[in-house]
């Protein structure tokens, strides 16, 4: 028996809902063999409102991890939280050395519950070094606004303009996740392949238990690509996967509730419709 091999270059969420924990759970649910190269450890302080602590991994340690994982000839790579410019540079070098086209960049700039970019100086490095290497990039509204230079995005037209800017920076395919900030009655994501805009819509779930949704979506795209799906199919199936995960999110403690990564395989997926705009 042989499994497709998926690698995440990302941070560790000590609470278990996002980061490499979400990625590895998602890879497993898609039948791929997940590996990780750890870039940072994120902790949460229960005595200070669950505030986040950021603890980067030494670059030499990251490079040793990447050497280990890439020696297995992985089939697809995703990136997550990359806390310093040097780590972004290291991830870009690893992508180049892998020779892979199946690369998903999840440009993590904030932690759930935070509303400011963790490392604003990283935006320029991501645009320069990661977008040109991305088969798919998966920003949320905030991240898309930062990467495109357009600032706050609130409408689908805003998302379309940002997608063009991000594509022009080198990303082959752009998925902007609408999230609750979008002025729309459905849960909407926008997929842009350089020529066509496609809306992916599902019913909104009235929940705050959505920790890890972004990481889970990007990891699902990565696993789908590794398993041989086309880009548009990978994105659509990832939308179904994360929609089910959000719909079945649950309370971890008084501060956070993660998505349920195994929900689609256990309970099925909500309907997702697509339309060109």
């Amino acid at each position: 028996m042989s499994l497709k091999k998926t690698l995440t270059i990302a941070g560790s969420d000590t609470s278990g809902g996002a980061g490499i924990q979400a990625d590895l759970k998602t890879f497993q649910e898609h039948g791929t063999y997940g590996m990780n190269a750890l870039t940072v450890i994120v902790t949460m302080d229960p005595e200070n409102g669950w505030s986040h602590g950021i603890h980067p991994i030494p670059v030499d340690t990251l490079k040793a991890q990447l050497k280990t994982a890439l020696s297995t000839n992985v089939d697809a790579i995703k990136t997550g939280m990359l806390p310093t410019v040097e780590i972004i540079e290291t991830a870009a070098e690893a992508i180049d050395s892998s020779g892979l086209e199946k690369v998903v960049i999840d440009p993590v700039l904030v932690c759930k519950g935070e509303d400011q970019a963790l490392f604003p100086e990283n935006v320029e490095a991501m645009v320069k070094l990661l977008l040109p290497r991305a088969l798919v990039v998966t920003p949320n509204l905030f991240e898309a606004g930062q990467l495109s230079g357009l600032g706050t995005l609130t409408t689908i037209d805003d998302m379309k303009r940002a997608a063009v800017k991000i594509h022009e920076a080198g990303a082959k395919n752009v998925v902007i996740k609408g999230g609750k900030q979008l002025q729309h009655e459905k849960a909407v994501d926008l997929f842009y392949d350089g020529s066509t805009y496609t809306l992916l819509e599902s019913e909104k779930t009235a929940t705050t238990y959505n920790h890890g949704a972004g990481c889970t979506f990007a990891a699902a795209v990565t696993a789908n690509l590794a398993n041989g799906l086309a880009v548009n199919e990978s994105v659509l199936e990832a939308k179904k996967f994360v929609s089910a995960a959000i719909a079945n999110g649950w309370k971890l403690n008084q501060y956070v509730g993660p998505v349920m990564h195994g929900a689609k395989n256990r309970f099925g997926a909500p309907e997702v419709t697509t339309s060109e705009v």
Side-chain angles (χ1 to χ4, degrees):
M1 181 179 182
S2 178
L3 301 177
K4 297 296 185 181
K5 291 165 283 191
T6 42
L7 169 63
T8 173
I9 308 170
S12 170
D13 170 14
T14 304
S15 73
I20 62 164
Q21 288 84 348
D23 295 342
L24 294 175
K25 291 169 187 175
T26 300
F27 291 162
Q28 182 79 12
E29 291 292 332
H30 285 78
T32 70
Y33 183 79
M35 291 174 278
N36 70 267
L38 191 61
T39 60
V40 61
I41 297 172
V42 180
T43 58
M44 303 82 189
D45 186 354
E47 297 178 354
N48 190 25
W50 211 241
S51 62
H52 292 75
I54 309 298
H55 313 277
I57 299 298
V59 171
D60 286 347
T61 304
L62 172 59
K63 289 181 177 179
Q65 295 175 82
L66 290 166
K67 183 178 181 180
T68 300
L70 293 177
S71 72
T72 69
N73 297 316
V74 300
D75 295 287
I77 295 174
K78 79 169 284 285
T79 66
M81 184 181 288
L82 306 173
T84 68
V85 171
E86 189 176 10
I87 285 176
I88 291 172
E89 293 171 344
T90 300
E93 291 168 0
I95 291 167
D96 287 347
S97 70
S98 75
L100 287 175
E101 180 188 15
K102 295 178 179 179
V103 174
V104 177
I105 302 297
D106 187 19
V108 177
L109 296 176
V110 295
C111 289
K112 191 75 74 180
E114 307 286 329
D115 58 6
Q116 297 294 322
L118 291 171
F119 309 101
E121 67 275 14
N122 288 2
V123 174
E124 182 178 353
M126 286 186 177
V127 171
K128 178 181 178 181
L129 297 174
L130 295 184
L131 294 188
R133 293 168 168 84
L135 178 59
V136 185
V137 63
T138 62
N140 60 27
L141 283 180
F142 175 81
E143 292 156 353
Q146 294 294 304
L147 295 175
S148 65
L150 297 180
T152 302
L153 311 178
T154 59
T155 67
I156 291 171
D157 283 342
D158 290 343
M159 294 166 72
K160 290 170 70 174
R161 286 190 288 269
V164 170
K165 293 283 188 182
I166 295 168
H167 183 269
E168 288 174 346
K172 296 179 180 64
N173 298 274
V174 183
V175 186
I176 301 180
K177 299 167 291 188
K180 61 185 179 181
Q181 289 81 19
L182 184 65
Q183 299 170 5
H184 201 279
E185 66 275 10
K186 296 288 185 71
V188 175
D189 301 324
L190 178 73
F191 173 60
Y192 179 62
D193 62 4
S195 61
T196 302
Y197 303 96
T198 303
L199 286 185
L200 297 90
E201 299 179 87
S202 62
E203 294 297 326
K204 281 187 175 179
T205 299
T207 181
T208 58
Y209 301 153
N210 59 359
H211 178 60
C215 301
T216 300
F217 175 79
V221 174
T222 307
N224 288 331
L225 290 170
N227 282 330
L229 295 187
V231 173
N232 61 335
E233 294 174 314
S234 296
V235 170
L236 175 60
E237 291 303 316
K239 171 76 169 177
K240 295 176 183 178
F241 185 88
V242 77
S243 295
I246 293 170
N248 291 276
W250 58 285
K251 181 179 179 179
L252 179 65
N253 61 13
Q254 68 268 39
Y255 299 110
V256 68
V259 302
M260 181 181 288
H261 299 91
K264 179 177 181 290
N265 288 343
R266 289 160 178 78
F267 311 124
E271 182 182 5
V272 175
T273 61
T274 62
S275 60
E276 293 185 9
V277 291

